């Protein structure tokens, strides 16, 4: 009996679906082994946060994974430490460099002027902005700006000191050496007054390299006299508080201010000496390298002129080296004592001696350079004379030869 068509077609159709050029993978219907499980995230990452985020259940990592993570971090830390920091842009670096340089060259004080704990009402600030002041022009400028001149009647010579008082009762003392000293005046106000207003009365100003000095003072209502305690001025104000007489207090302020005014003035000269030695280093290096021919007479003359100007500013054109200003000769002995006390605290005499020794050393260097330049010039003159003599000998030989040749031809 022949089978039906349906029984024959069904197996053939099943064969068409099951036969394929690539064998189909076998499916496992039993439990999958651990080897075939997908790898966990903490298997290939060293970040503990990512591993916890991948776990999702908030459970801590196994101890083995934790140890492995710490070991990987310890091995990679030296490489991260060697990584170079991110560099700032050139424009930003230039701005920062210019700002730092300007502050470095324009301020020099014993204490930080920008400290938030400093009360300007208990501060003495001195600033030097010029080589000297025209005291008559200073008085005109202060009157124009509504300052009260000599309010306490000290009757000092205006050519020695000018005392002015502003609205906030701050005392300002202007000295002919180009220095301004202020008591209980904000630093920015004093800087503006000295560099914007009083600079019109200045002779040879140097605002770009001004110097400042700052001290503290404490008023003492139980004393009539004043003194220095360390770097703090103890100002006796008993007469001012009891009798409303500010004359003694003002005289003490003038004495202390006169001594303090020498410090920034001396700092300006010290910076000039430092700049001089820095600029003269090239000439000394020429001598060290045997390059005497690079020395020029004009540069040596400039160096000599700078040293002479520096010494004259220190010892002749100002009263820095004076043991006592002329205005204190006929005054009370206390003022001389105040002047000497603050000068001792600021080491004025020692600094003057050191600066004079540096100038002497500079003159020794200049004298050596001047001798080398003169010797080089003398050698050049000697060679010029030798060349001229040689030329004269050549011409003389030529003349003798021509005479001998003419006589031989005539005979």
């Amino acid at each position: 009996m022949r089978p039906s068509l349906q029984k024959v077609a069904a197996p053939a159709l099943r064969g068409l679906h099951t036969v394929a050029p690539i064998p189909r993978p076998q499916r496992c219907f039993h439990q999958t082994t651990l080897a075939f499980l997908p790898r966990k995230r903490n298997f290939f990452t060293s970040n503990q946060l990512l591993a916890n985020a991948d776990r999702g259940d908030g459970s801590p990592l196994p101890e083995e994974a934790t140890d492995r993570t710490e070991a990987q971090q310890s091995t990679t830390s030296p490489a991260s430490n060697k990584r170079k920091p991110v560099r700032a842009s050139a424009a930003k670096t230039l701005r920062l460099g210019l700002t730092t340089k300007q502050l470095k060259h324009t301020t020099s004080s014993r204490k930080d002027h920008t400290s938030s704990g400093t009360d300007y009402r208990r501060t003495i600030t001195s600033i030097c902005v010029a080589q000297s002041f025209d005291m008559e022009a200073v008085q005109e400028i202060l009157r124009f700006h509504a300052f009260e001149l000599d309010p306490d009647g000290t009757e000092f010579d205006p050519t020695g000191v000018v005392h002015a008082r502003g609205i906030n009762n701050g005392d300002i003392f202007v000295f002919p050496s180009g220095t301004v000293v202020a008591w209980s005046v904000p630093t920015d106000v004093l800087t503006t007054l000295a560099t914007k207003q009083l600079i019109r009365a200045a002779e040879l100003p140097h605002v770009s390299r001004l110097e400042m000095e700052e001290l503290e003072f404490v008023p003492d209502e139980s004393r009539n006299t004043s003194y220095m305690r360390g770097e703090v001025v103890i100002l006796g104000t008993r007469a001012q508080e009891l009798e409303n007489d500010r004359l003694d207090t003002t005289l003490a302020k003038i004495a202390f201010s006169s001594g303090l005014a020498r410090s920034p003035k001396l700092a300006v000269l010290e910076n000039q000496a430092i700049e001089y030695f820095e600029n003269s280093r090239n000439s000394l290096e020429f001598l060290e390298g045997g390059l005497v021919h690079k020395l020029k007479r004009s540069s040596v003359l400039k160096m000599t002129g700078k040293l002479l100007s520096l010494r004259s500013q220190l010892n002749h054109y100002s009263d820095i080296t004076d043991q006592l200003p002329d205005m204190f000769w006929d005054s009370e002995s206390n003022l001389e004592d105040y002047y000497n006390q603050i000068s001792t605290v600021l080491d004025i005499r020692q600094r003057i001696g050191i600066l004079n020794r540096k100038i002497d050393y500079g003159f020794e260097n200049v004298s050596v350079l001047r001798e080398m330049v003169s010797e080089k010039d003398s050698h050049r003159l000697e060679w010029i004379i030798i060349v001229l003599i040689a030329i004269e000998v050549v011409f003389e030989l030529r003349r003798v030869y021509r005479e001998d040749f003419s006589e031989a031809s005539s005979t």
Side-chain angles (χ1 to χ4, degrees):
M1 183 176 177
R2 297 176 60 183
S4 63
L5 182 60
Q6 183 177 4
K7 292 181 179 181
V8 175
L13 293 174
R14 284 197 299 270
L16 292 174
H17 288 285
T18 56
V19 176
I22 300 176
R24 301 178 65 181
Q26 297 180 358
R27 296 181 179 179
C28 300
F29 295 97
H30 54 80
Q31 186 177 3
T32 306
T33 59
L34 294 175
F36 290 93
L37 287 176
R39 292 183 297 175
K40 295 182 179 181
R41 191 171 184 83
N42 58 12
F43 181 78
F44 60 88
T45 183
S46 61
N47 194 327
Q48 188 175 358
L49 296 177
L50 293 177
N52 290 335
D54 185 70
R55 291 171 63 90
D57 53 357
S59 59
L61 290 173
E63 294 181 359
E64 297 179 357
T66 304
D67 297 339
R68 185 167 57 252
T69 301
E70 294 177 356
Q72 292 177 358
Q73 291 179 357
S74 63
T75 56
T76 57
S77 59
S80 61
N81 292 333
K82 295 181 180 179
R83 186 176 301 171
K84 295 182 179 180
V86 181
R87 297 180 62 184
S89 62
K92 183 177 180 181
T93 306
L94 182 60
R95 291 195 300 270
L96 293 176
L98 291 176
T99 305
T100 306
K101 184 176 181 180
Q102 182 179 4
L103 292 175
K104 181 179 178 180
H105 286 280
T106 56
T107 58
S108 174
S109 62
R110 290 176 174 264
K111 299 184 180 180
D112 187 7
H113 297 292
T114 59
S115 59
S116 58
T118 304
D119 186 7
Y120 75 90
R121 291 171 294 184
R122 296 292 182 266
T123 303
I124 316 169
T125 308
S126 62
I127 180 172
C128 181
V129 295
Q131 182 175 340
S132 61
F133 276 136
D134 182 2
M135 301 307 287
E136 294 182 359
V138 167
Q139 297 179 65
E140 293 178 0
I141 293 172
L142 293 176
R143 289 194 188 97
F144 179 79
H145 289 280
F147 283 96
E148 185 181 1
L149 300 183
D150 197 10
D152 300 321
T154 58
E155 297 182 355
F156 277 119
D157 188 1
T159 59
V161 61
V162 173
H163 176 207
R165 183 171 295 157
I167 301 176
N168 59 348
N169 289 327
D171 292 309
I172 298 174
F173 302 96
V174 184
F175 295 91
S177 61
T179 308
V180 184
V181 181
W183 294 62
S184 304
V185 176
T187 303
D188 54 349
V189 175
L190 175 62
T191 304
T192 303
L193 177 64
T195 58
K196 302 297 183 181
Q197 309 301 333
L198 295 178
I199 201 66
R200 292 177 292 177
E203 298 178 359
L204 299 177
H206 46 77
V207 179
S208 59
R209 45 189 178 86
L210 61 86
E211 290 293 332
M212 300 184 69
E213 188 78 27
E214 187 173 287
L215 292 178
E216 295 181 2
F217 77 95
V218 176
D220 189 353
E221 301 176 358
S222 62
R223 295 178 59 91
N224 289 323
T225 59
S226 305
Y227 66 97
M228 292 289 300
R229 186 174 61 190
E231 293 187 357
V232 180
V233 177
I234 307 300
L235 188 64
T237 58
R238 182 178 181 181
Q240 178 179 344
E241 297 296 333
L242 297 180
E243 305 174 2
N244 197 18
D245 185 6
R246 305 184 63 169
L247 179 59
D248 293 339
T249 304
T250 302
L251 291 176
K253 287 183 178 181
I254 292 176
F256 284 118
S257 300
S258 181
L260 179 60
R262 298 198 296 173
S263 183
K265 182 67 176 181
L266 188 57
V268 172
L269 300 180
E270 290 170 347
N271 289 335
Q272 289 183 8
I274 293 173
E275 292 177 359
Y276 166 79
F277 285 111
E278 289 292 334
N279 296 331
S280 63
R281 181 181 299 177
N282 294 332
S283 301
L284 300 179
E285 290 177 354
F286 289 157
L287 288 181
E288 183 180 1
L291 304 175
V292 184
H293 61 279
K294 290 189 176 181
L295 291 176
K296 297 181 179 179
R297 179 179 293 272
S298 60
S299 61
V300 176
L301 290 177
K302 289 181 180 179
M303 295 169 61
T304 307
K306 289 181 181 178
L307 282 177
L308 291 174
S309 175
L310 186 60
R311 170 158 285 181
S312 61
Q313 292 182 48
L314 177 62
N315 299 293
H316 301 292
Y317 298 154
S318 62
D319 56 353
I320 298 178
T321 57
D322 293 346
Q323 296 295 330
L324 185 67
D326 296 338
M327 59 183 176
F328 295 147
W329 280 100
D330 298 331
S331 60
E332 301 177 0
S333 60
N334 289 335
L335 301 185
E336 180 180 356
D337 188 22
Y338 301 157
Y339 179 84
N340 292 329
Q341 286 184 26
I342 195 169
S343 299
T344 303
V345 170
L346 298 176
D347 300 327
I348 299 298
R349 295 181 182 177
Q350 291 82 353
R351 292 164 64 185
I352 291 174
I354 292 173
L355 185 55
N356 274 319
R357 287 194 293 270
K358 287 183 178 180
I359 295 175
D360 294 336
Y361 171 74
F363 271 112
E364 293 177 1
N365 293 339
V366 167
S367 63
V368 173
L369 295 177
R370 188 166 53 250
E371 291 177 0
M372 298 298 294
V373 170
S374 61
E375 184 179 357
K376 183 184 69 172
D377 293 341
S378 64
H379 287 171
R380 186 178 61 181
L381 292 176
E382 290 175 358
W383 277 107
I384 291 174
I385 294 172
I386 292 172
V387 171
L388 292 176
I389 293 173
I391 293 173
E392 185 179 359
V393 170
V394 170
F395 278 102
E396 185 66 21
L397 291 175
R398 178 175 177 273
R399 185 185 63 81
V400 172
Y401 174 76
R402 292 184 65 180
E403 289 179 357
D404 293 343
F405 180 76
S406 61
E407 290 178 0
S409 60
S410 63
T411 57

